[in-house]
Amino acid sequence: MTTLPRTLGVCFYPEHWPEDRWPIDARQMREAGLTWVRIGEFAWSRMEPEPGRFDWDWLDRAIEVLAAEELKIILGTPTATPPRWMLDKHPDMLAVDEMGHPRGFGSRRHYCFSHDGYREESARIARILGERYGRDPRIAAWQIDNEYACHDTTVSYSDAAAKAFRDWLAQRYQSPEALNRAWGNVFWSMEYDEFDQIDPPNLTVTEANPAHRLAFARFSSDQVVRYNRVQAEALRPLTDAPLIHNYMGREVSFDHWAVGADLDIASWDSYPIGFLSDRLDASEAHKLRFLRQGDPDNQAFHHDLYRSVGNGRWWIMEQQPGPVNWAPHNPAPLPGMARLWAWEAFAHGAETVCYFRWRQAPFAQEQNHAGLLRPDAEPAPALAETRQVADELVEAPEAGVAQAQVALVFDYESCWAWQIQPQGAEFTGFDLALSAYRALRRCGFDIDVVPKDADLSGYALVLAPGLMTLPESLETVTGQLLMGPRTGTKTGELSVALPLGPSLPGLDVSVTMTESLPPAETIPLDGGGRFHRWFEHLDGTAEATRTTTEGQPALASSGNRHYLAGWPDDETFHAIVSEIAGAAGLDPLDLPDGLRVRRTDRHLFVFNYAPEALSWNGTEIPPAGVHREDL
Amino acid sequence: MTTLPRTLGVCFYPEHWPEDRWPIDARQMREAGLTWVRIGEFAWSRMEPEPGRFDWDWLDRAIEVLAAEELKIILGTPTATPPRWMLDKHPDMLAVDEMGHPRGFGSRRHYCFSHDGYREESARIARILGERYGRDPRIAAWQIDNEYACHDTTVSYSDAAAKAFRDWLAQRYQSPEALNRAWGNVFWSMEYDEFDQIDPPNLTVTEANPAHRLAFARFSSDQVVRYNRVQAEALRPLTDAPLIHNYMGREVSFDHWAVGADLDIASWDSYPIGFLSDRLDASEAHKLRFLRQGDPDNQAFHHDLYRSVGNGRWWIMEQQPGPVNWAPHNPAPLPGMARLWAWEAFAHGAETVCYFRWRQAPFAQEQNHAGLLRPDAEPAPALAETRQVADELVEAPEAGVAQAQVALVFDYESCWAWQIQPQGAEFTGFDLALSAYRALRRCGFDIDVVPKDADLSGYALVLAPGLMTLPESLETVTGQLLMGPRTGTKTGELSVALPLGPSLPGLDVSVTMTESLPPAETIPLDGGGRFHRWFEHLDGTAEATRTTTEGQPALASSGNRHYLAGWPDDETFHAIVSEIAGAAGLDPLDLPDGLRVRRTDRHLFVFNYAPEALSWNGTEIPPAGVHREDL
Amino acid sequence: MTTLPRTLGVCFYPEHWPEDRWPIDARQMREAGLTWVRIGEFAWSRMEPEPGRFDWDWLDRAIEVLAAEELKIILGTPTATPPRWMLDKHPDMLAVDEMGHPRGFGSRRHYCFSHDGYREESARIARILGERYGRDPRIAAWQIDNEYACHDTTVSYSDAAAKAFRDWLAQRYQSPEALNRAWGNVFWSMEYDEFDQIDPPNLTVTEANPAHRLAFARFSSDQVVRYNRVQAEALRPLTDAPLIHNYMGREVSFDHWAVGADLDIASWDSYPIGFLSDRLDASEAHKLRFLRQGDPDNQAFHHDLYRSVGNGRWWIMEQQPGPVNWAPHNPAPLPGMARLWAWEAFAHGAETVCYFRWRQAPFAQEQNHAGLLRPDAEPAPALAETRQVADELVEAPEAGVAQAQVALVFDYESCWAWQIQPQGAEFTGFDLALSAYRALRRCGFDIDVVPKDADLSGYALVLAPGLMTLPESLETVTGQLLMGPRTGTKTGELSVALPLGPSLPGLDVSVTMTESLPPAETIPLDGGGRFHRWFEHLDGTAEATRTTTEGQPALASSGNRHYLAGWPDDETFHAIVSEIAGAAGLDPLDLPDGLRVRRTDRHLFVFNYAPEALSWNGTEIPPAGVHREDL
């Protein structure tokens, strides 16, 4: 375990403001206790106003002004915003949507990951930036591109993508015959004679073959990895500063571990209130209760996920400071939340929390997005909270985060599989994982979110819900292992596993039939609780340690291995996890709704997401309250 | 009345499985009590791997293995799944959707009914199959294509369709002037000078002329008829086995009687639970009550409809045996339903019930669709129910179905008319017909669903709701006749009928104004009951035998002829139908919710669709129970 | 104040009917008390059956027959319905929708406002009509085109529009650099080097720059103005009869005042029941209560708006007489409403109310749309009500409408701004204005709806909610002024105003943060009431005359100037407006739900929209009742 210093930062766009404001801004940043400032990631049109003509003066001066206040700079490659002239150079660089429409210039991310010409342009600008600033000590980190996948941009149906997809298929399957067999193309005479006959799986009469769709999802993810890699490879020889990408929340369209393998630090952009309004799978009552705080588990899930993606090193690159502009409804955070969110990140091992953004822009798409300063340069409410965190950091300037006792296995491919083949309208891999995570968090556990090839041997408790295929790593679990539903029921080509899965040695259980349920229907369990959304019929000699009221197995167990036959509601999931955790020698709590805890190597943190005060061992924690105890 | 033997069958895909399994499968089929096996309908790429090169060996062997177990074979023409090379041969064969996008390769049904080249290819493969197997006694029936219209494929906006539409219009109207007059194109200066100026009615600024849209619906239906006919004509001289098509549920985009006229037997694909989730117009409470059983009237309606389409001969070609993969939610049937559904079909005169499918495929689009065997070849729950039905058939091996005393007139053109011109958001012709059917079924009647040109003279009670035009057949009704709402209010070109309809001799009533109502509004009737969705203002000297609480006519009657001025809710529809049925000398029951009856020439069958036991004349019928009484 | 005579009229389509019916129709019109008849607006294919060949005979005869009954004719230019041959002449004349699909022939309004060729054709036909009928005394008014914007036709993304947009931008901004600065295109490297690089803002990856979208909205509005002007200019020299256009309800896609400036009279097409079903922002309970009457304030709002657009002269060109065909549900009006709607229009200063249409057409798109006659030429219910109004007009044949004491400032550009940047899913400029109008109407006030550059100095009370920019006119208000929410918070380029708005001299208040709220969340106010949907945080020295229960300013006041920090619900809006109205020396009422009043220079009118009788100063007003008192 490494002890890591904790710092604060902010995102800043010098190109948006008069140059005479820069020194004032820089001074105020320092005064606010900020250490880092991210710049440059959308400024291509200012760096290279026309092809091959560069203007570095403004950027040099901005770096100088910021460094003068001892701010460390994260420099972004500007490839998420190709200038207008790029489109003249590469008219076919645009991504194409599922309906076949090119996704045009006028916002951002208007490029197809598969376009060779644009990928080369991206490597070129990264290399030029590296050559100019790679050894500049003021540039202390690099961000490559910005929010891959944002605005649904991972997948493109362009001609460039179709061509690259065929090459990818040829590499993977070697022959059309092998592909036909792997996909089961005999099913509806879908067999191909040549790779060149294969199109992306859009605009078919009814759904395309799930294997075809999974292949396209894998290909699309690989194209992101490849695109990121050319920039990383361009920068690597030119700098020793860490390379970072800022990932998003609830974005599963590419394999983040695969991208992360080429980078040094993972970061993510955390908008708790925006995400609650925009993309949380929860009841209206839950959303109303946490309207101004964000979901109590959603941020923590991503913290734990990206800590793993970053191989232990992770940041928040963009932290919501106030109302945003992009969700269906955009209320203000409860006072104190901008502080709570930062401390929660630190408690999960974040090195740096950067707020987005320094000063609210008065123009363009995000003009209604709050910053630490208002558009008129006066302090916005979050500025004081930032300063408060900075002051508090003096007393807790660093920490290490140990491996947790509990692991949740999360898998991007499985998310694609269930998106392609939900079978029930409400089934998604992400939501199932978050359900499991919620159950663990309510127990008060620290959790590692890990990929399916992780070393799971050191965990007391491992949850592995909804994994398309059964990873070998599960066989090495010596603690308690809870799998299912849907775990290990498919092959790697998204066919039904034969023999019927999951085929985990030591647990004789198989899924013989699955049922998806409408919201009004549940499967009651004997002794209380219920499944909703999903229920599997199990066979095998494993003991039914829980059953439905009809006597069907709900949980099948053999020693330390358990398979869950349905999707429990929140209450039931917590009860089941608690029981298994007890068997693992853990001491599960039943935290009240909104209270959450996290430990570092030195402290226990308690966070109150609820709109009312809640009690922790006799200590009253106010709304948005952060409580710290020595361990 | 002909007495018909009752048999069971199954759908099987030898091309999906290793050849050494075939004999085992065939033996198990026989052991399960199955008589029929359908094969071949999706196997074009295996029959003709490249243009003109055929591979019959596998099919010959499959036929041999199946016939060795005395299974009778239904051989399908594989035209629902043109192979990939077909698209190279005919790049313009694809249908085009309403937004102008070609509907591409990668699933099935990727052809436009109007494409001359593909229609010729279809005739060619049918002829080649007929030449090879037409006189083979093991081939005891033929299926042409598969599920016309599935995936919304009746209508295409391709260039081929546009061209064929113009020819069709020229034939129908002879001159643009006649067409302009018939359609009322003067209305918005929509007049045409030449047929070549007329496009399909998609992508117009606001809705196209209803007459234009109705013409396109008629044309599109005719194209299905024509397409089917070329295959039927190719096979006819080559075989004496019956020609069959497998229709779908709640599919009204083409005139099934017109297709049926070229075939020998009608069959349909019955998925009671999938349809309930996917396409039933009913309350959430109703859907929850019948979640695992399917709607109690939906199957019966289609049985009675397709008995007519088949001119008395009909099958179920695909019977749901367990959870399917394609509905929003896919629960498992209540134990016993796979048996109940089969017996209900037999009670309505089915000759054969084939389950879909023999063994659940582990790959491709339907891998989550249950079969009689699980993917691992073990028995799925429905297999035992199939065997039970087979055993029960020994005691009731055959029956005849007499003409019913009650007829419901159903009309495809009217469905198109009200789809084009719903006037109220919830108005569809199908749902109105099903409402009427429900009311009759609750009375315990046997029902014939008949086309509007049927001979209605022998019925004690005829219901004719929502017929666009008034058919002459209604004039011949000597029993009680209940028409409306909307019946006879339009001309054949979907204009308002003048004089205002319905103009049925002997019933002086006309519709002077119509109102559509939002779900929260109803029109209460004097003495109880209510209309919802639809209410018409009536004029004329016919007696108002029921009125609204405001005193407006709700039912106008003259002797045996009645016109209903609105859409009654289920309770009210039953009450009104009961009263008129009484006048017809029938003895209407008020069956409890879920209990349904049907008679053959020898037996009365009682079916319990409810999730709880219900009583029939003192006999308790358990959930999914089938009760048989001698007549 | 001018006293204006009141007359009735009707829309008639002689080309739809046999010529021998015309004299009967004309006589019946006169007998019904009608003075005006509108003809010709959809008859281009009959006026000019092929390019350059005209057929005037039928029109001459129709005019003759109608004039023989002393009916005055409104002649329409037929440009909303270009004939099919026009498309052969100008294949690129079609508008293109947001997804890039041409909007084809087969209904109406299939032209792009930016197409030079079609605009010239429109001027040509207007000129030809003017030459032929401009001095004919029987033609007493002209209607240009029909319902601009109907079917979402203001905005087009055609090549013609793109080209015209670039020219428009070049004129407005003079240089790409100026445009880049004005729009803040530096934001995401969206800077342009040439005007020719700029596309319409559709099909971008995520939302285009709000300034880009606002520019396109302005351009699109200007194209309507320009299109209308060429027809007005063609007719002007040829006739002295007034030029009119018939606007729509709740249609804000172009600036109606700008179109109105080129015309003599504004008219609008009022469909109270259709609008309630189709486009009213209200609770289901409200919609059910007023299902057969229409919303009690929606018509009045448009009356007051179009009185201003017409500079005091306005008509209803199309008045709903019975059920229509185009809303999701189409019930019949409560008996008496066809009379009430007419009288309400007269009470608001209408000169003429024309019912749409004379006789219900039996064919084409509107065959289910009621007229004064049924399709079979018998009287529909509204005919008697029309006659009743005509009789009543004898006693109140004319009136003047004085400037009101209360003004509501309404602004089309602000509607575009909030449509582009709603920030909360339920925020629209129109709905906010209608909320304010409702509050005023419940007080019983007469109201002027005025543009933002109106002379506001004479009003006792001015409401100015949701104005994007702060107009100078507000500074001249000497009565009470209530602004907000959102008023004056943006620049003319849809950027955040700096210093933060509203910057109204004499009221030190600024909006520092905004919040949008989901439907379930409200902000309670101290002393009762609540904001929903929207809440702003205010700064400044103005007194918080109302606060939230948390103590934040809800209403900031300084002397006669007030700024409202949120969107009050109906109850609260009325309470706040009442209080300020009291300070203005007005005497606000609290009218019961459905009762509404309006004054002319001689009478007070009371209208009962409720389905039950309501009392006005002891007089019971029945449902649909109209009560008139002398002033």
Side-chain angles (χ1 to χ4, degrees), chain A residues 16 42 44-46 84 88 101 103-107 292 324 328-330 332 357 362 365 367-368 374, chain C residues 99 187 189-191 197 203-209 421 423 425-426 490 494-496 512 515-517 539:
Chain A
H16 294 181
F42 297 134
W44 198 336
S45 71
R46 292 298 169 99
R84 182 60 180 78
D88 290 334
H101 301 117
R103 305 183 70 186
F105 185 84
S107 60
R292 298 172 175 286
V324 299
H329 303 97
N330 298 292
R357 48 193 282 157
Q365 280 89 338
Q367 61 185 269
N368 292 336
R374 304 185 331 203
Chain C
M99 300 311 287
F187 190 68
S189 282
M190 296 177 294
E191 291 166 302
Q197 291 172 328
L203 292 174
T204 51
V205 175
T206 183
E207 55 164 342
N209 192 327
Q421 205 173 84
Q423 184 68 9
E426 290 80 18
K490 298 283 178 179
L494 195 40
S495 294
V496 176
T512 63
E515 304 193 58
S516 56
L517 306 171
D539 234 14

Side-chain angles (χ1 to χ4, degrees), chain C residues 362-582:
Chain C
F363 46 70
Q365 280 90 340
E366 293 178 353
Q367 61 185 267
N368 293 336
H369 190 301
L372 295 182
L373 299 191
R374 304 185 329 203
D376 61 352
E378 292 299 308
L383 187 67
E385 296 189 26
T386 304
R387 181 66 255 178
Q388 183 182 355
V389 175
D391 293 342
E392 290 165 343
L393 281 175
V394 176
E395 289 177 37
E398 60 181 25
V401 169
Q403 178 172 312
Q405 291 187 287
V406 176
L408 173 67
V409 184
F410 181 73
D411 180 47
Y412 289 96
E413 283 198 337
S414 301
C415 291
W416 309 334
W418 309 145
Q419 187 178 356
I420 290 164
Q421 205 173 84
Q423 184 68 9
E426 290 80 18
F427 199 107
T428 82
F430 182 88
D431 293 320
L432 179 62
L434 189 59
S435 279
Y437 187 84
R438 266 186 211 297
L440 293 168
R441 285 266 288 176
R442 183 164 160 184
C443 290
F445 297 144
D446 296 340
I447 305 152
D448 288 347
V449 176
V450 299
K452 66 183 175 188
D453 59 356
D455 177 0
L456 300 172
S457 60
Y459 290 98
L461 172 61
V462 175
L463 265 59
L467 302 183
M468 175 175 69
T469 59
L470 193 79
E472 289 181 18
S473 61
L474 294 191
E475 300 181 24
T476 69
V477 174
T478 54
Q480 295 288 319
L481 169 63
L482 176 61
M483 300 179 294
R486 261 186 140 163
T487 299
T489 56
K490 298 283 178 179
T491 71
E493 292 289 347
L494 195 40
S495 294
V496 176
L498 290 177
L500 297 176
S503 297
L504 186 69
L507 181 70
D508 179 22
V509 66
S510 58
V511 177
T512 63
M513 179 155 65
T514 63
E515 304 193 58
S516 56
L517 306 171
E521 175 77 357
T522 59
I523 305 281
L525 304 190
D526 197 38
R530 53 185 41 80
F531 290 151
H532 61 172
R533 298 184 171 178
W534 191 263
F535 177 54
E536 294 171 350
H537 297 224
L538 302 185
D539 234 14
T541 61
E543 183 190 1
T545 43
R546 295 201 67 162
T547 62
T548 71
T549 55
E550 305 278 318
Q552 292 172 286
L555 185 70
S557 306
S558 188
N560 66 333
R561 295 170 178 198
H562 312 269
Y563 188 90
L564 188 56
W567 188 325
D569 67 13
D570 283 353
E571 197 71 26
T572 310
F573 219 151
H574 174 258
I576 289 171
V577 163
S578 293
E579 196 172 317
I580 295 173

Side-chain angles (χ1 to χ4, degrees), chain C residues 3 34-36 143 145 147 178 181-182 194 249 289 321 371 378 408 450 458 470 493 495 531 547 549 569 578 595 597:
Chain C
T3 291
L34 305 177
T35 304
W36 291 90
Q143 178 183 298
D145 202 275
E147 292 183 344
R181 272 195 306 276
E194 307 168 36
R289 177 169 171 79
E378 292 299 308
L408 173 67
V450 299
L470 193 79
E493 292 289 347
S495 294
F531 290 151
T547 62
T549 55
D569 67 13
S578 293
L595 206 71
V597 303

Side-chain angles (χ1 to χ4, degrees), chain A residues 101-113:
Chain A
H101 301 117
R103 305 183 70 186
F105 185 84
S107 60
R108 60 176 178 176
R109 304 207 58 71
H110 43 283
Y111 68 85
C112 175
F113 281 106

